Amino acid sequence: MTVKIFFPTCCSPSENGLLIGRWLEEHRSAVVLAIVHFPFIPGNVKRYLAGLERETGLRLAVLGTWSNIKAQKDEQMESFLGDLKSIFIHRPWLRITREASIIFWDCRIEGVDEEAEEEVVLVYYDQRKVMLSELHDATEHSEIATVFDTVARNRTLFALDRYDEGPIKLTHWQSDGVEASIIVELCKQASVPLCALLSFILSLIFSVTRALGRKPLSFLWNKLSTCEQLGKRLDSLQLICGTKAAKDHTLFMRKASTLVSLLLDVILGIVLMSWLYRGDHIGQLANALMPVADRVAVELQGLLQWLMGAPAGLKMNKALDEVLGRFFMYHIHLWISYIRLMSPFIEVILWYIGLSACLGLSVALSVLSDIIALLTFHIYCFYVYGARLYCLKIHGLASLWRLFRGKKWNVLRQRVDSCSYDLDQLFLGTLLFTILLFLLPTTALYYLVFTLLRLLVVLVQGVIQMTINLLNSLPLYALVLRLCRSYRLAAGVKFRMLQQEHGKCLRLLMQINPLTYGKVLQQYRLPSSNLYPKDSWGALCKKLFIGELIYPWRQERDKQD
Amino acid sequence: MEDRTFSDIEGGKIIVQERLFSKTCKEFNIICPKMSVRSVVTATFTAWVAAYAMYAYTENNMVLSATTVSTIIGLLFYLHFVKIDQESLLLIGSLGIQMTLTYTSGKESTEFIEMHKIKDVVINEAIFMQKAIYYLCILLEDPSEPKRISSIVPLFQSAKPNLNCLVQVYNSCQEILSERKSFNLVD
């Protein structure tokens, strides 16, 4: 039967000593964590291991001996190492011997049944990488996950320095010393009161917003995407400023990703702001905005004139066409006067709104989306009128068509029943059906044109919304971690066969297989809600056909209240 | 280590290398046919003829430069993400099975499946285009229900070796897997 030994590469040049590690009986593998050097007192070693065990909750043991023969074999040393077996009792007892000139080590297993022939697989691993990495999608009985867990939980063992005067002298992975560690420590210390202060301020802001979010005003807030964005910003700030340290890996990654994407957002917003306020771009924008709005109104007027004639050679019902056209014309007239009234103040308004860019690019973008929504309000109104008229006609036609066939809609049973109508009922119904049918093309044309305009606006707003969502949900920290420290996020391991020699143990090198970028995005994407309720394409087309409002300002939530 | 030549399902030549490290550790390398110069020349030639036709029609230099850039990018993409040079299967009796794909550019993508997840290795039959082909696949065990299979991992997807070759690999896999099973029974 095979015995696997997981051996850290950093321990290979060390002096003779004892192997410390954990024996996994289930998988018959030994995870070597460190090497204890001479001189030591066996009692001290045992006590030290018991101390570690209490701290980590894992059973550590002396697994065997390690001898690194530099020049020539020392028989006395060999026999001494062999005798250690009787002091530290462990089955099986490993004896690993390395000779300077030969790359193949000699591994022997003692203390197992004699008849069973033991095959040894030596797996080298990088202790630091395994300790720092986080294994994804590990199953319960996985051997690799157990090895990773064992190494990660013995962090306290690796914190011991080479120059520390501990009870025993160990070799394992050690950091090469971090120069900036004092600064990092100071930052960590300073962050706690800072976070407490920030979360206090945030709680104040929250109470203010709660007061503002009461009934009459909440009607307004729900309509504006800026308010939603600001609310989300407050939530993420609250997540970051939580004074408690992150409990587990996912929470930590979420915190870090939120922080990084917030920082990036704010930096981009400040860049945008500096561009806006340097060289009077605001004034240019304001000067450009008014003619554009005017132009849109004029174009709409032209479109209505065209619809009132014979659009695309279609012959419409003249009277209804005139009525509808005049109605919309009057609306545009109102709109133009409203814009003329606004135009002197627009630059000042823009100047103050531009300041919101310092809160982040996503806030600035949602402000832009709101401005577009407000400036195209007349298009929305036209769409609603057109849709309502069209919807009325379609419903009327549907019920009259049922009458035409001698059927009716039973409201109580929610189904179509047959029904016998009187002659005059049938006559009136047929007459109304004919009138509605012949008036339908005119209404449908107006509906079609305004729906297309509305869809254009929705498309622009949707693109802006998607950009905001991308900014908010991109897990930048995880992506950068994957790019620069790919071993931190491990999807699994991979093995490389090292040079083999017949009769010696099998040598493998265990490397960390990093998570793919797609998986990183999938796993660590920050939650972001879509502003609009999502319809499938089919549902959208159906809604368009029967004249229901698509993407109305009134949200689904309101209906539930 | 020995090299043997087999053919894939379309009759092309593939080389199978078998390396025996120990009794329970084996590696199979299947080397796919190299990218032929003829296909590269044909593809580039077609692209350039189309580009020159467009150029003659529009008289715009941008067409030619765009074709150059897109041809180079397309070739790099093909070498880095599509064309597979070598597929290898490393069987380690006590640890698991590792599959490695080596692309022409040298990129390697590796997947390691631990032994406790593996239920069996079988040869499966499938309908591909208009014919029935055989492929080797690993059956993964459902962790919640040991009797059931949670998913199937097909092997040698790009080389598509024929049945003769698959049987050889299958026999070695079964040899290694059976030792694991016998050990489990003893327990």
Side-chain angles (χ1 to χ4, degrees), chain A residues 246-257 477 481 488:
Chain A
K247 273 202 294 293
D248 56 349
H249 177 77
T250 26
L251 199 64
F252 168 74
M253 290 301 282
R254 217 177 117 196
K255 255 186 166 179
S257 287
Y477 180 73
L481 206 63
R488 289 289 296 272

Side-chain angles (χ1 to χ4, degrees), chain A residues 411-536:
Chain A
V411 186
L412 291 176
R413 300 200 172 175
Q414 295 282 308
R415 65 173 192 199
V416 177
D417 284 346
S418 56
C419 170
S420 60
Y421 291 101
D422 294 339
L423 194 66
D424 42 350
Q425 276 177 336
L426 273 177
F427 175 70
L428 197 66
T430 315
L431 199 70
L432 281 175
F433 180 79
T434 326
I435 291 172
L436 280 184
L437 189 67
F438 284 122
L439 288 183
L440 183 70
T442 315
T443 334
L445 192 70
Y446 275 89
Y447 172 66
L448 179 74
V449 170
F450 293 131
T451 306
L452 287 180
L453 280 178
R454 170 76 187 146
L455 281 180
L456 198 72
V457 174
V458 165
L459 191 75
V460 172
Q461 278 186 309
V463 168
I464 292 175
Q465 191 63 42
M466 268 166 68
T467 321
I468 294 172
N469 269 349
L470 187 73
L471 271 175
N472 280 341
S473 66
L474 204 66
L476 271 170
Y477 180 73
L479 284 177
V480 170
L481 206 63
R482 166 67 186 81
L483 190 70
C484 303
R485 298 266 184 280
S486 55
Y487 57 83
R488 289 289 296 272
L489 306 173
V493 292
K494 53 187 175 188
F495 290 95
R496 238 186 56 213
M497 298 303 293
L498 299 174
Q499 207 180 338
Q500 309 294 337
E501 200 186 64
H502 191 71
K504 288 284 172 80
C505 59
L506 204 65
R507 296 161 76 236
L508 297 170
L509 179 66
M510 185 168 87
Q511 289 167 320
I512 287 168
N513 205 4
L515 221 58
T516 55
Y517 283 100
K519 275 274 180 65
V520 170
L521 280 180
Q522 204 184 350
Q523 195 119 29
Y524 293 108
R525 208 182 57 190
L526 297 171
S528 72
S529 65
N530 218 338
L531 183 65
Y532 294 124
K534 274 204 169 152
D535 278 329
S536 68

Side-chain angles (χ1 to χ4, degrees), chain A residues 292-311:
Chain A
V292 166
D294 251 4
R295 181 76 193 272
V296 169
V298 170
E299 289 285 327
L300 272 177
Q301 242 170 355
L303 187 71
L304 281 173
Q305 295 280 2
W306 179 69
L307 282 176
M308 279 164 76

Side-chain angles (χ1 to χ4, degrees), chain B residues 84-104:
Chain B
I84 290 169
D85 245 15
Q86 186 180 326
E87 282 183 272
S88 51
L89 184 74
L90 177 66
L91 307 158
I92 310 169
S94 49
L95 281 167
I97 296 180
Q98 175 171 286
M99 294 154 288
T100 312
L101 298 180
T102 313
Y103 293 87
T104 310

Side-chain angles (χ1 to χ4, degrees), chain A residues 206-231 366 370 531 553-555 557-558:
Chain A
F206 261 108
S207 55
V208 171
T209 49
R210 221 168 287 134
L212 282 177
R214 293 264 161 71
K215 244 302 152 171
L217 279 173
S218 67
F219 178 75
L220 185 65
W221 300 144
N222 286 340
K223 308 285 172 282
L224 297 177
S225 62
T226 316
C227 294
E228 183 151 334
Q229 203 54 50
L230 285 176
S366 49
D370 280 344
L531 183 65
W553 276 35
R554 201 174 190 19
Q555 306 270 302
R557 276 189 305 235
D558 300 341

